[in-house]
Amino acid sequence: MVQHLSSHGKKTNPILPKFENRILVSDLQVKTFALGQQQEYDGQVFPLAYRCDSAEATLEAATAWITEHADKICSQASAHGAVLLRGFPLGSAEDFDAMIGAFDLPCFSYDDSLSNAHRINFTPRVFSANEAPPEATISLHHEMAQTPIYPSKLFFFCQVAPETGGATPICRSDVLWERLVKARPEFASDCKDKGLRYSNVMPAQADSASSMGRSWQSTFSSNTREGTEARMRSLGYDWEWLPDGDLRATTPILQAVKDLGNGKFSFFNQLIAAFSGWKDARNDPAKAITFGDGSPLDPSDVATASALADELTFDVPWQAGDLVLVDNYLAMHGRRSFTGTRKVMASLVAS
């Protein structure tokens, strides 16, 4: 573990910023607190964490607090990468939905997304984070960066914490990019200049046993091949219909590096996840991703990027009722395998 602090380093258990030490709304008390193994980059803790210390807090009081401080929390998510809210009275999908509504942000419906993950909707803007089996590990990625349409932020809510494991790893992709440029400059340059193309086989029927088992009908919001082809054509996809009715879809060239402004960049993609984790009965990771010009990726370069990301990862230690706001442009996320019952929900914010 890296103990020193520099513009490219991290340290654990930092001193929290004094200016955001305590916020009071009527009798609702909320303050920052330190998480074990918490990181710090350029004076910003990762993730920033708040705890509600009001034992009798109500959902009404919690949503009022969010309404008053939504702009600040969103700004902090963009600066820190992620913000954890703990101790608020959240127990159901409806409670989570109410908290999201208090932020008054534009909703990105999962039905409108091109994600290949099979998920279950609980409310129009709340859905299961992923329906992959407990033993499956989901590699680090930016939400829907393998598609032309992606959210700017995402919310996670833990309704039931697992017995063991099940953390949500998060990683600062701007810091990862800086390290990757130094470790593999040619690979970093190719990612930035060439972009990436992704291919995956979508089933004709939803496959809940796979982390990428969403049907092509659901993905492209069409029950017919003609309608699906029209949607893909408008988005710049290439495609191939397979004999069993499945669909192999290949994206247009997508960015692998996102310009964050002020001279900063983010390693914004699904490269690590696609190269190592896009595997099920239909898909082979070796065929999942190329550079934008069709040239293959060197596995050793991807391994270096993955190892650097692992060094920078913070595992969100879920407790029931936790809510996390992640800036999708700045931070990757994934999922650890787990035992027992784990119920984590998600919601997306439009770009």
Side-chain angles (χ1 to χ4, degrees), residues 108-306:
F108 187 133
S109 168
Y110 189 73
D111 288 342
D112 295 332
S113 78
L114 299 172
S115 172
N116 53 357
H118 173 60
R119 301 183 182 181
I120 298 172
N121 268 90
F122 301 107
T123 77
R125 57 187 170 194
V126 172
F127 49 87
S128 55
N130 199 289
E131 289 298 299
E135 62 272 15
T137 294
I138 299 173
S139 301
L140 289 166
H141 61 280
H142 285 275
E143 190 68 17
M144 301 179 193
Q146 83 285 18
T147 79
I149 308 168
Y150 46 82
S152 61
K153 293 181 173 63
L154 47 149
F155 292 94
F156 291 111
F157 161 61
C158 179
Q159 183 181 31
V160 179
E163 292 179 8
T164 64
T168 293
I170 53 178
C171 169
R172 280 280 297 264
S173 291
D174 57 335
V175 181
L176 172 58
W177 172 248
E178 292 175 358
R179 295 194 176 186
L180 189 61
V181 167
K182 292 182 177 180
R184 297 279 175 140
E186 185 175 349
F187 173 63
S189 179
D190 283 344
C191 286
K192 191 174 183 180
D193 296 339
K194 296 180 179 180
L196 299 168
R197 298 189 79 188
Y198 304 84
S199 295
N200 75 292
V201 177
M202 304 176 190
Q205 302 292 331
D207 179 6
S208 60
S210 169
S211 62
M212 49 190 302
R214 191 181 185 189
S215 71
W216 56 261
Q217 295 95 330
S218 175
T219 301
F220 291 107
S221 302
S222 173
N223 290 323
T224 67
R225 290 192 178 193
E226 293 77 14
T228 296
E229 289 179 1
R231 182 86 192 280
M232 289 189 290
R233 189 177 298 112
S234 71
L235 293 165
Y237 277 71
D238 293 329
W239 64 88
E240 176 189 2
W241 293 105
L242 303 181
D244 58 1
D246 292 348
L247 171 65
R248 183 187 306 279
T250 302
T251 70
I253 299 173
L254 302 175
Q255 64 185 340
V257 181
K258 190 171 186 64
D259 188 345
L260 299 175
N262 298 320
K264 296 186 70 66
F265 296 87
S266 172
F267 194 55
F268 182 84
N269 53 65
Q270 286 227 4
L271 187 154
I272 295 171
F275 201 88
S276 62
W278 282 17
K279 183 177 183 179
D280 61 12
R282 295 167 300 279
N283 290 279
D284 178 356
K287 302 176 182 178
I289 187 170
T290 66
F291 283 117
D293 62 1
S295 58
L297 280 66
D298 186 331
S300 67
D301 289 331
V302 180
T304 296
S306 181

Side-chain angles (χ1 to χ4, degrees), residues 29-49:
Q29 299 186 39
V30 181
K31 64 181 181 181
T32 54
F33 72 102
L35 290 165
Q37 308 304 313
Q38 198 171 22
Q39 303 169 11
E40 183 176 345
Y41 302 106
D42 296 329
Q44 303 279 29
V45 294
F46 176 68
L48 179 64

